[in-house]
Amino acid sequence: MSLFLLLILVALVLGIIGFTAHGLFYLLVIGAVVLLADLVYAVVRLRHRGRRVVR
């Protein structure tokens, strides 16, 4: 869970810096890519956890 929150925070910081700083649009793009990767990571973890059989 802490990795998920850390990646969300990194994506937000990169996005804000990329949006506000002139000429650093690539940081906004990197922030969006990190956010998407984090969401995919969360979905994979939730699906994997849901398939576990409890005995």
Side-chain angles (χ1 to χ4, degrees):
M1 183 66 163
S2 62
L3 178 63
F4 177 76
L5 294 175
L6 176 69
L7 288 175
I8 291 287
L9 183 65
V10 167
L12 283 173
V13 169
L14 287 175
I16 290 170
I17 292 172
F19 183 74
T20 57
H22 182 71
L24 295 179
F25 180 72
Y26 67 92
L27 286 180
L28 179 63
V29 173
I30 292 172
V33 169
V34 169
L35 180 65
L36 287 175
D38 190 35
L39 292 176
V40 168
Y41 172 75
V43 168
V44 168
R45 295 258 314 171
L46 285 175
R47 283 190 179 185
H48 181 67
R49 182 176 289 181
R51 293 184 181 178
R52 191 177 304 167
V53 176
V54 178
R55 294 183 183 183

